[in-house]
Amino acid sequence: MSTPTPPPASLPPGYVIKRKKPFYKRVWFWLFVVVVLVVVIVIVAVAGAANDAVNKSHTVTYKVTGTVKKADIEYWSNDGSGKSVDETAGGQSVPWTKTVTVKGDLSAFVLSATPSDIEDTGTLSCELDVDGKTVSTGKSTVAPAMVSCSGSGYDGK
């Protein structure tokens, strides 16, 4: 059988032993919790914005109008992932419209048009719409007319 440990020496009168507070009752613990929550909220917000920048779909409408009868049209798009489309449409009747869908706010678009007949002295105009919002227009009245419009998926916001 073991001998019990002696009780602590008696304390002077008025002296009180203070016990340590549990960690969850300390100010530094709650400050740490608040900082961690703020960091998590910021990370979630940034991740959501990055997801939109990469995956959000945009409807792009290329338009060519004017007084020329036919135009040679070139349109180009590049989405945020690097997928590129470059199309040439020769001898198209004016007015002309083409609608495509691309992904990402980092996408880019270009439209250019010239008269199919170099002697056609009419006018040409172009318009580039992203998600129903006109982001670029162009007009040429100098013969031979040539117009160009450009924009990005970010412009459609």
Side-chain angles (χ1 to χ4, degrees), residues 48-60 77-80 102-110 128-136 150-157:
N51 186 48
D52 281 352
V54 173
N55 294 317
K56 186 177 181 183
S57 291
H58 296 285
T59 302
V60 180
S77 67
N78 187 2
D79 68 14
V102 297
K103 282 177 94 173
D105 287 346
L106 303 175
S107 52
F109 325 103
V110 177
L128 186 58
D129 298 342
V130 178
D131 297 332
K133 177 183 171 190
T134 301
V135 297
S136 181
S150 62
S152 71
Y154 189 76
D155 292 338
K157 288 189 170 225

Side-chain angles (χ1 to χ4, degrees), residues 66-87:
T67 60
V68 300
K69 293 181 177 111
K70 293 196 180 276
D72 295 332
I73 300 166
E74 184 171 359
Y75 58 96
W76 173 85
S77 67
N78 187 2
D79 68 14
S81 69
K83 180 183 170 192
S84 184
V85 175
D86 189 0
E87 298 283 333

Side-chain angles (χ1 to χ4, degrees), residues 25-44:
K25 288 187 177 181
R26 294 178 180 222
V27 172
W28 64 262
F29 173 76
W30 291 108
L31 288 173
F32 177 75
V33 168
V34 168
V35 168
V36 168
L37 286 175
V38 168
V39 168
V40 168
I41 290 169
V42 168
I43 289 171
V44 168

